[in-house]
Amino acid sequence: MRITSALVDPALLDLPWSVPLEEWPASHLVALPQGISRHIVRFVKLNDTVYALKETRERIAEKEYDLLRALERIDFPAVEAVAIVNDRLDDAGEPLESVLITRHLQFSLPYRALFSHMLRPETMNRLLDALAALIVRMHLTGFSWGDCSLSNTLFRRDAGAFAAYLVDAETGNLYPKLSEGQRSEDIEILRLNIFGECLDLEAAELLHEAIDPEAVVDDIVARYERLWHEVTYEQEVPRDAR
Ligand SMILES: Nc1ncnc2c1ncn2[C@@H]1O[C@H](COP(=O)(O)OP(=O)(O)OP(=O)(O)O)[C@@H](O)[C@H]1O
Ligand SMILES: [Mg+2]
């Protein structure tokens, strides 16, 4: 087992790394709401810090770790990468996947937990506002997400509004600047993902009857475009027009 980290919490070393994450005893884990994901994600509490552990391939864990660190340097609202655990072996000497460790984002909720009861349309609006603002900020910094969705976002209640944070950077890329094409590609993915997520909510009878998935998607794209235009619009005034 090999742990890579800027500052290792020694308590992390004592976790049962030779056991697949799925089989970790409950005594090591804390039950907190989590979103739907392909990878196994578990939360552990060590001293007073809660960490999120995600089992994934080494290359992916490293890419995500580097991206999250880069986002942290520019103060971008995302989960904070703590360490990567590589070269794990089980008790029979068979290799196990790597683990990406992030700090659990306190007071955050995955959207599925927000929808544990039906949201009023205006609460849904505030959620979409937060997500649109996150993506505008992301695109301004040159980050293309590649997988914008409600499940890859965490929400914190922030006075009357919501604040959105990026949780899954696996598919992201940081560029000096995004082209129009890169931006619209990200927005197309957002359309598909959010539409699918709304259909899932509808099937689970968690979507308010006044909310139409197609309208939600058009709405969030419109919010994004409006905000993008507002922050990037540059007025050109010819000198003799003064
Ligand atoms: N640092 C964290 N703080 C709070 N929750 C977290 C954190 N890391 C992961 N989670 C929870 O675990 C869920 C799954 O994480 P993540 O999206 O990174 O997994 P994934 O398997 O890569 O997802 P996908 O299926 O989109 O590839 C998130 O939706 C979130 O609820
Ligand atoms: Mg995810």
Side-chain angles (χ1 to χ4, degrees):
M1 184 283 256
R2 181 165 56 91
I3 187 159
T4 312
S5 165
L7 191 73
V8 186
D9 176 349
L12 284 172
L13 298 169
D14 298 329
L15 290 170
W17 296 114
S18 62
V19 178
L21 212 46
E22 209 170 7
E23 295 165 21
W24 280 24
S27 56
H28 283 290
L29 306 177
V30 280
L32 288 166
Q34 77 184 66
I36 304 155
S37 66
R38 278 169 296 168
H39 299 105
I40 308 281
V41 174
R42 293 287 182 269
F43 301 114
V44 299
K45 186 171 180 178
L46 299 170
N47 305 315
D48 278 327
T49 310
V50 180
Y51 297 101
L53 277 48
K54 170 158 94 170
E55 208 160 51
T56 182
R57 276 180 296 153
E58 177 168 340
R59 207 177 41 81
I60 295 177
E62 277 171 359
K63 182 185 171 201
E64 196 165 3
Y65 178 84
D66 289 343
L67 264 177
L68 290 176
R69 293 298 300 255
L71 290 175
E72 190 184 338
R73 283 193 291 272
I74 56 174
D75 252 335
F76 187 84
V79 298
E80 190 188 316
V82 172
I84 322 179
V85 183
N86 288 324
D87 300 339
R88 295 167 65 213
L89 294 176
D90 70 10
D91 293 334
E94 293 296 321
L96 293 174
E97 283 199 312
S98 294
V99 172
L100 170 72
I101 307 177
T102 54
R103 194 182 284 269
H104 176 261
L105 185 68
Q106 226 183 348
F107 312 120
S108 67
L109 287 171
Y111 85 103
R112 270 291 188 166
L114 287 166
F115 278 95
S116 58
H117 60 273
M118 202 179 287
L119 292 188
R120 283 175 299 139
E122 66 266 30
T123 315
M124 179 80 174
N125 273 339
R126 287 190 276 127
L127 208 69
L128 297 179
D129 265 339
L131 184 54
L134 182 76
I135 300 171
V136 166
R137 185 158 170 192
M138 179 178 285
H139 286 173
L140 282 175
T141 65
F143 185 77
S144 76
W145 196 345
D147 198 11
C148 332
S149 67
L150 287 168
S151 354
N152 286 336
T153 309
L154 289 172
F155 295 93
R156 253 179 183 173
R157 278 180 210 277
D158 180 5
F162 285 105
Y165 294 77
L166 170 136
V167 63
D168 191 343
E170 185 187 319
T171 49
N173 282 298
L174 199 51
Y175 300 97
K177 188 178 192 293
L178 293 187
S179 67
E180 285 299 303
Q182 286 171 315
R183 259 189 344 106
S184 56
E185 204 176 303
D186 235 17
I187 296 304
E188 278 319 300
I189 297 168
L190 171 86
R191 267 183 195 282
L192 282 175
N193 283 344
I194 304 246
F195 187 64
E197 289 168 324
C198 284
L199 291 184
D200 286 347
L201 287 170
E202 200 171 53
E205 295 185 0
L206 289 169
L207 203 65
H208 195 285
E209 58 191 19
I211 302 176
D212 164 39
E214 206 131 3
V216 167
V217 170
D218 289 343
D219 199 38
I220 184 161
V221 174
R223 279 163 209 259
Y224 164 86
E225 293 296 353
R226 210 179 310 129
L227 196 55
W228 176 264
H229 187 73
E230 253 170 49
V231 296
T232 59
Y233 179 70
E234 280 165 18
Q235 208 175 10
E236 276 181 37
V237 183
R239 202 172 170 185
D240 52 9
R242 278 197 305 172

